Amino acid sequence: MKQYKEYKDSGIAWIGAIPSHWQVKRLREFIEIYSDKEYPSETLLSVARDKGVLVRDIDSKEENHNFIPSDLSGYKRIKQGDFVINKMKAWQGSYAVSEYQGIVSPAYYTCKLRCSNKEFFNLAIRSKAYIPFFTQYSKGIRVGQWDLSPIGLKDIPFFLPPEAEQEAIVKYLDKKTEQINQYIRLQEQQIQGLQELKQSIIARAVTRGLDPKAPLRPSGIAWIGAIPSHWQVERIKPLLEKIESGVWGNEAKENETDTICFRVADFNYDKGNLSFKSLTYRNIPDNQLQTKLLKQGDLLLEKSGGGELSPVGRVVRVNTDKKATCSNFIQILRTKKSKVDSSFLYYFFFTLYSKRINTLYFNQTTGIQNLKVSDYLSQSIPLPPEAEQEAIVKYLDKKTEQINLLISKTEASIALMKEFKQSLIADAVTGRINVQPA
């Protein structure tokens, strides 16, 4: 990439040198913090790290994690072009110039912005080059409760090229980021296609088997239709040796009595097993724990929680023999090995979920989805003979591993491209590259 002819020291270690003709100013020269309240009927807005200022969906249980009071008169009004900062999450990059007029949380800083090119300001300040400044001036007892100092905010340096260069940088980045975004969208579509392919392969195998020429008969299950004529139809519940709720216990004491307690957050749903990235330990009395210890091959059924995008009812396989249990939001299912292969049942549950059969068994209260477990387990399942179950599981393990590998590679490609985009923006707005036309 082309560079500028002359550079000077910016005075900031992670910024390094900037073009010698660029100015170094402070945010106090661009922003004026103000508070304009008593507009409760205005559009409710919020600030997200990745998307900037956006209209808040007050109906979505998936997005609406924060409490919204009935009286919004204390919320702050902003106008289009104002600079808005979530002062508790500024260290993460949760700030942006707003494209909307509306109201935001009283915990935000709302600022009038004085600059000729607000698009350049937004691109620059939201780049990864500036986030460390907001981290530097955010303090608190815990990281998640850091608070951005208004004095520190105003003292953040801003590297300002001439107006013509600002316009050139914006034009260049608009073109380049759209090309990158288009690539990312195509990759995301590919992932969606692979996920749908996996769902289709699993559903076909657990309802029709692996022999396309097998004679069929009606299953009596509306959503399945015909099944191989030699398969049996059984209810799920009698196939289970154990149906046991998890337990949450008490705070960990950091000694040998503590037990791993898996949460729904530990479900690696795409791979159908448990994640060990961030284990939770709980102190659970033996009399509570005895019947709730997990065995390798157990199935864990999410029975409470969920949301619009990920409704309750996900199932994963236990893939550890360590001393562990699960939270009370989860149901432990242990199969009778003489009746059904636990992995075959897992793939059947996967199909129930992918086809949203689980949503027919909800009891939703106070915004939380609860699965009616007893009714859900009273459903019927088409069962092939034991040897055929094992063959189907072996086939699906291989196929899903292949598809998951493709998905992982595509996700890695997307992550690299996103990182490249952030680096490109940071390089352009700090003058490491010269994007002006020759």
Side-chain angles (χ1 to χ4, degrees), residues 84-370:
V84 187
I85 306 159
N86 181 337
K87 63 179 181 177
M88 298 290 285
K89 295 183 178 179
W91 60 276
Q92 295 179 331
S94 292
Y95 50 80
V97 177
S98 179
E99 297 179 3
Y100 309 98
Q101 176 169 309
I103 53 175
V104 296
S105 166
Y108 287 9
Y109 290 137
T110 52
C111 310
K112 293 179 181 177
L113 181 58
R114 301 183 299 269
C115 66
S116 57
N117 194 323
K118 292 184 177 182
E119 194 172 355
F120 174 80
F121 180 89
N122 192 52
L123 279 168
I125 205 74
R126 281 178 52 76
S127 75
K128 67 178 185 179
Y130 282 86
I131 291 177
F133 290 118
F134 288 84
T135 303
Q136 178 181 340
Y137 291 112
S138 296
K139 304 296 180 185
I141 299 174
R142 295 190 187 94
V143 174
Q145 296 178 350
W146 279 0
D147 202 351
L148 176 64
S149 159
I151 297 173
L153 167 65
K154 293 178 180 180
D155 203 41
I156 290 173
F158 190 79
F159 308 103
L160 190 68
E163 287 190 18
E165 286 182 44
Q166 293 179 43
E167 292 175 8
I169 291 169
V170 168
K171 186 177 180 180
Y172 172 84
L173 290 177
D174 280 350
K175 179 181 178 181
K176 290 296 183 181
T177 56
E178 178 50 37
Q179 291 172 345
I180 294 170
N181 290 340
Q182 176 63 21
Y183 171 84
I184 291 172
R185 285 192 291 269
L186 290 172
Q187 295 300 298
E188 289 172 340
Q189 289 171 12
Q190 184 174 336
I191 289 174
Q192 180 63 31
L194 288 168
Q195 289 172 335
E196 290 172 359
L197 174 63
K198 181 169 73 171
Q199 291 169 6
S200 175
I201 289 172
I202 293 173
R204 178 78 183 183
V206 297
T207 59
R208 289 291 181 90
L210 304 179
D211 182 2
K213 297 180 180 179
L216 304 176
R217 67 175 178 85
S219 67
I221 306 171
W223 67 271
I224 293 179
I227 60 172
S229 57
H230 64 288
W231 287 23
Q232 301 298 315
V233 176
E234 305 275 359
R235 287 194 310 117
I236 296 173
K237 195 178 294 184
L239 305 175
L240 300 172
E241 174 185 305
K242 179 189 285 289
I243 305 172
E244 184 80 41
S245 177
V247 59
W248 189 231
N250 307 306
E251 289 291 332
K253 295 182 179 179
E254 298 186 0
N255 59 36
E256 68 277 359
T257 65
D258 292 338
T259 303
I260 298 170
C261 189
F262 289 106
R263 305 159 298 148
V264 173
D266 301 313
F267 279 23
N268 187 338
Y269 178 66
D270 289 335
K271 294 186 177 180
N273 55 27
L274 291 164
S275 169
F276 299 88
K277 288 182 179 178
S278 181
L279 293 177
T280 301
Y281 286 84
R282 302 289 291 176
N283 191 271
I284 303 168
D286 285 341
N287 63 339
Q288 293 182 32
L289 185 61
Q290 245 177 9
T291 62
K292 301 177 188 293
L293 285 171
L294 304 179
K295 286 186 178 179
Q296 189 140 349
D298 283 351
L299 304 182
L300 300 185
L301 168 63
E302 174 195 24
K303 65 177 182 178
S304 187
E308 291 175 7
L309 299 180
S310 300
V312 72
R314 290 172 291 185
V315 173
V316 295
R317 293 172 281 193
V318 173
N319 51 321
T320 181
D321 54 6
K322 292 183 178 180
K323 181 184 176 184
T325 186
C326 59
S327 78
N328 53 323
F329 278 19
I330 299 170
Q331 199 81 5
I332 305 166
L333 306 179
R334 184 170 299 158
T335 61
K336 295 176 181 176
K337 293 183 179 179
S338 61
K339 295 283 188 178
V340 64
D341 185 296
S342 65
S343 286
F344 182 86
L345 184 56
Y346 156 74
Y347 282 121
F348 185 76
F349 277 126
F350 181 96
T351 298
L352 289 175
Y353 191 85
S354 67
K355 292 185 176 296
R356 293 300 188 254
I357 306 299
N358 55 310
T359 61
L360 303 176
Y361 296 85
F362 282 1
N363 177 20
Q364 188 155 337
T365 57
T366 62
I368 297 176
Q369 296 171 353
N370 296 297

Side-chain angles (χ1 to χ4, degrees), residues 372-388:
K372 294 184 282 188
V373 174
S374 182
D375 292 345
Y376 194 55
L377 299 180
S378 295
Q379 292 181 85
S380 295
I381 176 175
L383 272 184
E386 183 180 350
E388 197 171 346

Side-chain angles (χ1 to χ4, degrees), residues 180 184 188 413-423:
I180 294 170
I184 291 172
E188 289 172 340
S413 175
I414 290 173
L416 284 173
M417 194 55 68
K418 286 181 176 179
E419 178 60 30
F420 171 72
K421 181 173 75 170
Q422 292 305 316
S423 296

